[in-house]
Amino acid sequence: MTSQSPGKLGWIDLTVEDANATSAFYSAVCGWTAAPHPMGDYNDFNMEAEDGSSVSGICHARGMNANIPPVWMPYFLVPSLENALETVRANGGTVLEDRSEGGGGGIAIIRDPAGAHCALWQAG
């Protein structure tokens, strides 16, 4: 995500109870390969296209992801996570997971006033 400009979509992933079964489903349906991404005592997955490029992630609903609904979660790039979170709150949104470090930068999960979830990411 570090090579992309703020305001753009930087990543997308899916958080579910059983990332093993879900990654197998998308491997079969989309032709992706599930590349394990170590998370301590379990693996999440970077899903890769036939050319080896990463196209998405599939994660277990554990740790920071424990309270994320099972929906595809876009990560939008922002120049300042702190400013973006202030703006979310000031405009009727909700910060569900405040800043944490991950993916080489800061991540937060928000819900917009319509109820849609997304992540905001700032390069480290």
Side-chain angles (χ1 to χ4, degrees):
M1 288 190 287
T2 58
S3 65
Q4 296 185 17
S5 302
K8 294 191 175 188
L9 178 65
W11 184 248
I12 188 165
D13 63 27
L14 176 61
T15 297
V16 294
E17 288 298 319
D18 187 350
N20 297 319
T22 303
S23 64
F25 171 83
Y26 281 99
S27 291
V29 171
C30 299
W32 295 342
T33 300
H37 181 82
M39 299 298 292
D41 61 344
Y42 63 95
N43 289 319
D44 285 341
F45 300 95
N46 288 329
M47 303 305 289
E48 298 177 347
E50 287 184 13
D51 66 2
S53 62
S54 291
V55 294
S56 69
I58 296 183
C59 308
H60 288 280
R62 299 181 188 172
M64 177 184 164
N65 294 341
N67 298 315
I68 298 175
V71 296
W72 282 101
M73 177 86 59
Y75 287 65
F76 297 113
L77 307 177
V78 295
S80 167
L81 191 53
E82 287 72 24
N83 289 345
L85 295 178
E86 287 179 25
T87 304
V88 165
R89 291 179 180 106
N91 287 277
T94 304
V95 177
L96 300 175
E97 295 286 337
D98 215 337
R99 183 188 182 107
S100 64
E101 299 303 312
I107 300 170
I109 298 170
I110 67 164
R111 183 176 53 233
D112 71 20
H117 294 76
C118 70
L120 303 177
W121 186 83
Q122 175 190 341

